[in-house]
Amino acid sequence: MRIILLGPPGAGKGTVSNLLKNHDGSVHISTGDILRNAVKEGTPLGQKAKEYMDRGDLVPDSLIIDMMEERLKEPDCQKGFMFDGFPRTIPQAEALGELLSKIGMKLDVVINLDIGKDVVLDRLTTRRTCSNASCQAIYNVKSMPPKQEGICDKCGSPVIQRSDETEEAILNRLETYNNQTAPLIDYYDQKGMLKSTAALSSDEVVKDILAAL
Ligand code: AMP
């Protein structure tokens, strides 16, 4: 499958991608994960991206577009992909359209995870993430805590609160989403590619996605 998962931070894009991972070999590509790895490793991209990310602002389009051009060239994308957190602006969507036509690929569908602000605020402030860059398992202190407090069930690394998941940064990320990313809903709707789902549980969202393919 070749899909874009659209939705505010905390809508469940990462969780849904994980559930779909074994479906047909499509890779889960999260720009947020790639950027966090780059920050952790201190690469030139990471050094440029860090201050934007810590504030909850978007990293400039040119950096993201170059990064995704490289990522799409990797052979694992041939089987399909689930974009999580990309595109996030109209210029990114336009660049993606050009990139895909250059390599002769077409998107199947754009899934809009339609979820209220209160739900995402609650989810994000209670979300915890495995600090191991190659694991990044997601937990929730209320609904899905790790078996041993603060320790990842999967790899044993510390489970942390992301630096951009303070209430102030979260509110900024939501505002950034409304201003810069939500316009993509209309953009893809006008192209006839959008499918919205208001499902609250990730299992139901997965069903909706599979039905839309
Ligand atoms: P996420 O994990 O998708 O919520 O992304 C975390 C942070 O990474 C965002 O708040 C942005 O600062 C940055 N980021 C991720 N994806 C993009 C993108 N497509 N365009 C610009 N910035 C991004």
Side-chain angles (χ1 to χ4, degrees):
M1 73 184 94
R2 296 188 190 118
I3 65 172
I4 291 173
L5 292 167
L6 210 58
K13 301 186 293 291
T15 310
V16 165
S17 305
N18 278 331
L19 289 171
L20 281 167
K21 208 153 56 187
N22 298 323
H23 179 69
D24 65 358
S26 298
V27 276
H28 169 209
I29 302 180
S30 152
T31 41
D33 285 352
I34 300 174
L35 290 167
R36 277 184 290 279
N37 282 343
V39 170
K40 205 163 180 192
E41 285 169 15
T43 66
L45 169 67
Q47 286 170 23
K48 288 181 202 146
K50 187 176 185 328
E51 55 172 313
Y52 297 97
M53 296 174 73
D54 282 345
R55 280 199 304 264
D57 289 338
L58 291 185
V59 173
D61 286 336
S62 57
L63 292 177
I64 300 289
I65 292 164
D66 289 351
M67 174 181 109
M68 288 305 283
E69 181 162 13
E70 289 309 306
R71 183 65 187 86
L72 267 171
K73 282 185 196 152
E74 288 179 30
D76 60 350
C77 292
Q78 289 299 323
K79 279 196 174 167
F81 47 74
M82 296 168 267
F83 286 146
D84 158 2
F86 174 81
R88 253 191 168 86
T89 62
I90 300 277
Q92 289 183 22
E94 284 170 347
L96 173 64
E98 281 165 28
L99 263 173
L100 289 176
S101 63
K102 210 159 73 183
I103 55 179
M105 281 187 183
K106 263 186 115 179
L107 287 171
D108 294 323
V109 67
V110 177
I111 303 287
N112 176 37
L113 305 181
D114 189 7
I115 191 159
K117 185 177 166 186
D118 291 350
V119 178
V120 296
L121 250 183
D122 183 59
R123 277 190 190 171
L124 288 177
T125 47
T126 53
R127 181 155 89 173
R128 299 293 180 269
T129 309
C130 173
S131 57
N132 173 358
S134 56
C135 177
Q136 304 206 22
I138 295 168
Y139 298 92
N140 185 291
V141 287
K142 282 193 199 160
S143 59
M144 206 178 51
K147 288 192 189 93
Q148 193 183 339
E149 198 186 324
I151 303 291
C152 179
D153 294 349
K154 292 187 181 146
C155 73
S157 304
V159 167
I160 54 157
Q161 182 166 27
R162 275 168 40 179
S163 58
D164 61 354
E165 285 180 353
T166 60
E167 187 144 351
E168 190 191 356
I170 290 168
L171 286 172
N172 190 30
R173 283 164 71 202
L174 287 176
E175 199 180 313
T176 305
Y177 175 81
N178 286 335
N179 295 338
Q180 292 181 261
T181 308
L184 292 178
I185 298 172
D186 264 359
Y187 176 87
Y188 284 116
D189 196 21
Q190 278 169 22
K191 290 182 183 290
M193 296 168 77
L194 192 84
K195 166 93 179 75
S196 272
T197 169
L200 276 178
S201 90
S202 310
D203 288 334
E204 282 171 42
V205 174
V206 165
K207 271 191 212 147
D208 282 354
I209 293 174
L210 295 178
L213 286 172

